[in-house]
Amino acid sequence: MEEIYAKFVSQKISKTRWRPVPSGSLQTTETFATGSWDNEENCVSLWSIGDFGNLDSDGGFEGDHQLLCDIRHHGDVMDLQFFDQERIVAASSTGCVTVFLHHPNNQTLSVSQQWPAAHYHTGPGSPSYSSAPCTGIVCDNPEIVTVGEDGRINLFRVDHKEAVRTIDNADSSTLHAVAFLRTPEIVTVNSIGQLKIWDFRQQGSEPCQILSLTGDRVPLHCVDRHPDQQHVVATGGQDGMLSIWDVRQGTMPVSLLKAHEAEMWEVHFHPSNPDHLFTCSEDGSLWHWDASTNAPEKSSLFHQGRKK
C-alpha cells in the first residue's frame, strides 16, 4: 500500500481540492487548496506536496505538506472549487461567494471578486434580513453556478458584478450540491432525495427533469458527473448509499450500492480515469470504487466497490 503522510494543521478542514493541471499537460498536480469550518477564524489555504524537489535519504520526496499561503474567510467554507489555475471559488455559510486569486510570485491570496448576498432567506434591505448558507458551487469558465439552503440557483460570470440569472424558487427544500451536465445544463440534489436537471436556456423556475429515490426521501448530499459520459451521474446521501443514474433512462438510479455506515459527503469521478470513483463519509472512511474490474458488465457501472 502507498505511504500516507499526515500533517496536523490546527484547524477543522471542511473541503480539499486539487489544483487542476493545464489542459494537455502530462504532469501530476502538486498543489491543493483547503477550506476550514467551525474555527474562531476560518481560512482558505493553498498547500504544496513534497519539498520543492528536495529528496530524502531514500531518494523520494520529503513527505510534508507545505503551506504556501492562506487568507481569512468569513464564515464556514461550505464548498471550494478551482475556477482555473490561479483562481479559487469559495462558498460560505454566510451566503457569500468569493473568488480568490493566487499570486505565485509572492505566494499570497487576495479577493478577486465577491457576491456578498448570493443566498438569503429574506432579502438584503429588509428589516428581517437573514442570510442562507451557500451549500454548493460548480465552475465552468467563465461561469459559476451556486446553490443554497434557500433553494435558490445563481448563475454568475466572473466579469459581471451581478448574477446573470437567478432562479429564486428553484426548490422548496435545501439544495445541497450542483454539477454541470453540459453547458448550459446543470444537475442539483436536494434534502428530499431528488435529482433535478435544469437548462438555463429555458425561462421560468421549473426543472426540465426530476429523478428521485423510491421509498424514504433520504437527503442527497453530493453529486458528480462522469467526465466522458455526460448522461451518467453519481450521488451520495445521508444513508451512505452510492447511487448511479443514467438521466436518459427513467426516473430512478440504475445502480444502488451499499457503501458507508454514515452520511456520504463527497463523490468524485477521477477526471482522467473515470472508471475510478472516490467517496468519503462521516464514518471517517474514504472508498475507492473500481469499475474497470467489471469489464464485461461495463454498462452497469460500479456493481462492485473496493474499499481502500
Side-chain angles (χ1 to χ4, degrees):
M1 180 179 286
E2 300 87 349
E3 288 190 70
I4 297 175
Y5 295 103
K7 184 181 182 73
F8 184 69
V9 295
S10 304
Q11 57 182 319
K12 297 179 181 178
I13 301 297
S14 56
K15 296 292 174 182
T16 304
R17 298 285 183 257
W18 288 104
R19 171 184 274 166
V21 294
S23 180
S25 172
L26 298 177
Q27 295 178 331
T28 57
T29 185
E30 293 187 348
T31 306
F32 64 94
T34 60
S36 69
W37 72 287
D38 195 29
N39 298 291
E40 288 186 8
E41 282 192 6
N42 290 302
C43 62
V44 170
S45 307
L46 208 56
W47 303 79
S48 175
I49 60 172
D51 197 21
F52 299 99
N54 292 340
L55 301 178
D56 60 23
S57 57
D58 296 326
F61 282 107
E62 297 283 354
D64 205 10
H65 322 332
Q66 297 215 347
L67 177 65
L68 299 178
C69 51
D70 59 12
I71 189 169
R72 185 177 177 179
H73 181 270
H74 185 53
D76 295 341
V77 176
M78 304 292 287
D79 200 3
L80 194 67
Q81 300 289 340
F82 273 94
F83 182 79
D84 54 22
Q85 292 289 300
E86 288 80 34
R87 287 173 287 185
I88 308 166
V89 187
S92 174
S93 58
T94 66
C96 178
V97 177
T98 306
V99 181
F100 295 103
L101 177 64
H102 177 222
H103 306 274
N105 291 337
N106 58 0
Q107 290 300 353
T108 58
L109 285 166
S110 65
V111 175
S112 169
Q113 195 158 352
Q114 196 167 62
W115 296 279
H119 293 274
Y120 53 86
H121 291 297
T122 308
S126 165
S128 57
Y129 169 71
S130 65
S131 62
C134 177
T135 53
I137 49 180
V138 65
C139 305
D140 188 8
N141 195 342
E143 296 178 332
I144 301 168
V145 177
T146 73
V147 297
E149 197 176 278
D150 53 359
R152 181 177 283 106
I153 299 174
N154 292 308
L155 172 63
F156 295 108
R157 288 200 180 99
V158 288
D159 53 350
H160 288 60
K161 290 184 178 180
E162 304 295 332
V164 176
R165 173 89 186 273
T166 296
I167 305 175
D168 277 319
N169 300 305
D171 210 304
S172 58
S173 58
T174 296
L175 290 170
H176 283 148
V178 58
F180 272 107
L181 282 181
R182 61 188 73 81
T183 307
E185 293 180 4
I186 61 168
V187 57
T188 61
V189 293
N190 66 15
S191 59
I192 57 173
Q194 292 177 323
L195 188 150
K196 297 183 179 182
I197 298 172
W198 309 80
D199 188 337
F200 283 122
R201 293 169 297 190
Q202 296 184 4
Q203 297 303 311
S205 58
E206 296 299 320
C208 53
Q209 192 175 350
I210 300 177
L211 302 89
S212 62
L213 298 167
T214 56
D216 296 335
R217 293 186 168 188
V218 177
L220 294 173
H221 291 309
C222 51
V223 60
D224 196 26
R225 186 208 73 195
H226 191 288
D228 300 332
Q229 302 179 54
Q230 295 179 330
H231 56 279
V232 175
V233 171
T235 64
Q238 187 167 298
D239 57 0
M241 296 284 287
L242 172 64
S243 303
I244 306 296
W245 311 71
D246 184 336
V247 299
R248 305 170 305 177
Q249 300 178 11
T251 60
M252 296 185 296
V254 294
S255 293
L256 269 174
L257 302 164
K258 179 64 177 173
H260 300 279
E261 298 299 322
E263 296 95 329
M264 186 188 297
W265 293 123
E266 297 264 7
V267 57
H268 290 289
F269 286 99
H270 191 284
S272 57
N273 293 292
D275 283 340
H276 297 266
L277 185 78
F278 298 87
T279 60
C280 67
S281 167
E282 183 72 16
D283 65 14
S285 66
L286 168 69
W287 282 40
H288 172 196
W289 302 78
D290 184 358
S292 62
T293 56
N294 261 5
E297 301 178 18
K298 211 56 158 301
S299 60
S300 55
L301 291 168
F302 300 102
H303 273 220
Q304 248 177 333
R306 292 192 173 182
K307 185 169 66 172
K308 293 290 185 182

